[in-house]
Every structure is written in structure tokens, then in C-alpha cells.
Amino acid sequence: MTTLTIREAEARDLEAIIRLHEEDELGSHGDAWTPENRPAYEAAFAAIAQSPENSLFVALDGKEVVGTFQLTFIPNLTGRGALRVKVESVKVKGARRSGGIGGLMMAFVEEEALRRGARLLELSSNKTRTKAHRFYERLGFSRSHEGFKKKL
Amino acid sequence: MTTLTIREAEARDLEAIIRLHEEDELGSHGDAWTPENRPAYEAAFAAIAQSPENSLFVALDGKEVVGTFQLTFIPNLTGRGALRVKVESVKVKGARRSGGIGGLMMAFVEEEALRRGARLLELSSNKTRTKAHRFYERLGFSRSHEGFKKKL
């Protein structure tokens, strides 16, 4: 019997969040909770916390962090000035995948987006994550775009 | 002989920007500069102007608006807290396409992203815009992701 909850991330969650990034061989970008990296994560966490348009969330099972995602609210002219929400860095703890945590997080995303007046959700997902793509399509997302990245 | 310049959009550019959206049958989402829509565009423009993380730009040929794009700076944990930039609503006036305006705008984007300390550029482009995809790939973007959208 588990009780899943979702709340905004706090500074004390940062290590657990980065551990979820570490687990993800694909999206990890060399991420690891090391003494050298810690200041950079703390600075990024502070920047997210400070930004009214960004929110970082954690999904908890009891006190254990089992998932995370970030929302970015983006004012935009398109669609008669429709506010959009970008969903980013969606991670579920490896051992807990396919257990409904992702579905719960995305239901929360939709509710939060509507509550803040957004009319469009968007996200991009690495082309190799075919299981995630089916998941997003089941939730009503349309795979209408190509996602481009360029490292600077 | 033309002189192209790029600067942040001002309120007086709004009609010209929406005219570029109007022209774009694919990405237009019913956008049109009408009396009914105007307040929504003005509100979205004000929200962008107010946000330290969002900037709307215009490309000008003399005094004529011939292109537009929006940048969103997104603090993120991934990649040891790498700041990323989302490039959005990239439009070039129909009659002026393939004339170097897009290339100029994207060079500006890269310079501005570096100036503000970003380490990753990202954008999504409708799957039917194959010409734009080749353009982004020529600029060094990798088409690594699927782009998902869901209207709320």
C-alpha cells in the first residue's frame, strides 16, 4: 500500500532528484551528484526556485522521491496569445517504472497547467524513448513536431 | 541594397508580427490581427515584455518587419545545471524567404544565448516543415527528439 503525493521540490530534495538524473543513461548528460557538480546544481535549483515561470516538482512515495519533472510557463503570441507549458526533465525512478507514477505526474501537470490558465502543453522526448512516446500518445499528446537541439 | 537589423520587439511592432503569424498557414492557429484578437495579443506581448526569461525579437529591413522569433531562457538541472534557450515562433515574411533572414536571426540567437551563459539551444518544428528542418540541420542542430503537443 503506497501513497503517492506530488509537491514542489525543496532544497533538501536536490540530491534525490539528481540521483534520478544519474539513473537515466540517455538523458543524463554526465549528471552525477558529486562534490564538484553540487554547486552547479544548487545554482540551477535556486534559479528555478526564483523564477515565477518555472517550477520543479517531486513525486513522493511516503518520504521517498520516486519521480520529478519541471514546468516552464511560456507567454507566447501564437494561438491568440495562448499561454503554453513546457514539461521538462520527466524522470521516474527505474525500479518504479510502469507503476502509474508517470501517469499521476502528467495528470498533475494538466491540472496545474489549467489552473494557471495555459492552453497548450508541450514536451520533447529523445527519439529512442519509444515507450515514453506511446505513453504520451495514450495521454492525448500528438507527435506533430521534430525536436532539435544544439549544444553551445 | 538592404540593411537587416535585429532588435527587441516594441509595442508598435505587434501588428507587423501578427501579420507574419497570419501568413503562416501551418503555424497560424487561427491567428489574425482583428479587433477581437487584439487585446489577447497585447496581453501576451506585455507578459513577454515583463518576463526576464522571455524576449521577443524582430528582424527589420530598414523600417519593415521581415522576421520575428522569441527566446525563452530556461534554468534546468540537466547537464550539471546548464541554462537552455528555447527558440520559438520563428517566422520570416513569405516574400523574403531563402534570402538569408533566417540565417541572420539564428546567428543572433546563438550569440545572444552565449552572451547570457546558455549551453543548449532547442526548438521544435512541425513535421511537415521539411525545408526548415534542413535549414536547422545545416546550422548544426541535431534532430534528436520527438516533439509532442497537447491542446488543453
Side-chain angles (χ1 to χ4, degrees), chain B residues 83-100:
Chain B
L83 182 66
R84 49 181 71 192
V85 182
K86 186 170 193 296
V87 192
E88 184 55 57
S89 305
V90 180
K91 315 268 180 202
V92 172
K93 196 175 168 68
R96 300 295 299 272
R97 280 182 204 143
S98 310

Side-chain angles (χ1 to χ4, degrees), chain A residues 14 17-18 20-22 24-32 37 40-45 48 56 68-70 86-91 124 129 149 151, chain B residues 74-85 117-120 122 145:
Chain A
L14 188 53
I17 295 168
I18 300 302
L20 296 182
H21 282 254
E22 269 184 36
D24 181 353
E25 59 302 324
L26 234 190
S28 74
H29 306 271
D31 283 303
N37 290 348
Y41 292 128
E42 286 168 346
F45 182 88
I48 295 168
L56 184 66
T68 182
F69 57 95
Q70 179 177 341
K86 187 170 191 298
V87 192
E88 183 56 58
S89 306
V90 179
K91 315 267 180 203
S124 76
R129 298 192 202 266
K149 307 251 186 192
K151 287 192 183 169
Chain B
I74 304 179
N76 189 266
L77 295 172
T78 305
R80 301 186 192 86
L83 182 66
R84 49 181 71 192
V85 182
R119 285 187 277 149
L120 182 71
E122 61 179 62
H145 286 60

Side-chain angles (χ1 to χ4, degrees), chain A residues 14 17-18 21 27-32 37 40-42 44-45 47-48 50-54 56 68 70 72-82 84-86 88-89 91 109-110 113-114 118-128 132-134 136-137 139-152, chain B residues 14 17-18 21 27-32 37 40-42 44-45 47-48 50-54 56 68 70 72-82 84-86 88-89 91 109-110 113-114 118-128 132-134 136-137 139-152:
Chain A
L14 188 53
I17 295 168
I18 300 302
H21 282 254
S28 74
H29 306 271
D31 283 303
N37 290 348
Y41 292 128
E42 286 168 346
F45 182 88
I48 295 168
Q50 216 172 40
S51 161
E53 283 150 2
N54 284 277
L56 184 66
T68 182
Q70 179 177 341
T72 306
F73 287 80
I74 304 178
N76 188 266
L77 295 173
T78 305
R80 300 188 192 86
R84 49 181 72 192
V85 183
K86 187 170 191 298
E88 183 56 58
S89 306
K91 315 267 180 203
V109 164
E110 219 167 300
L114 285 167
R119 284 187 278 148
L120 182 71
L121 286 180
E122 61 180 63
L123 60 87
S124 76
S125 174
N126 192 293
K127 280 188 189 279
T128 62
H133 302 167
R134 287 194 298 272
Y136 292 124
E137 285 176 326
L139 295 179
F141 281 82
S142 142
R143 193 197 308 207
S144 53
H145 286 61
E146 297 286 346
F148 291 85
K149 307 251 186 192
K150 182 178 181 179
K151 287 192 183 169
L152 297 177
Chain B
L14 188 53
I17 295 169
I18 300 302
H21 282 253
S28 74
H29 305 272
D31 283 303
N37 290 348
Y41 291 128
E42 285 167 347
F45 183 89
I48 296 168
Q50 217 172 40
S51 161
E53 284 150 2
N54 284 276
L56 184 66
T68 182
Q70 179 176 341
T72 306
F73 287 80
I74 304 179
N76 189 266
L77 295 172
T78 305
R80 301 186 192 86
R84 49 181 71 192
V85 182
K86 186 170 193 296
E88 184 55 57
S89 305
K91 315 268 180 202
V109 164
E110 218 166 300
L114 286 167
R119 285 187 277 149
L120 182 71
L121 286 181
E122 61 179 62
L123 60 87
S124 76
S125 174
N126 192 293
K127 281 190 187 279
T128 62
H133 302 166
R134 289 194 297 275
Y136 292 124
E137 284 177 327
L139 295 179
F141 281 82
S142 142
R143 192 196 308 205
S144 53
H145 286 60
E146 297 286 346
F148 291 85
K149 308 252 185 191
K150 181 177 182 179
K151 287 192 185 169
L152 297 177

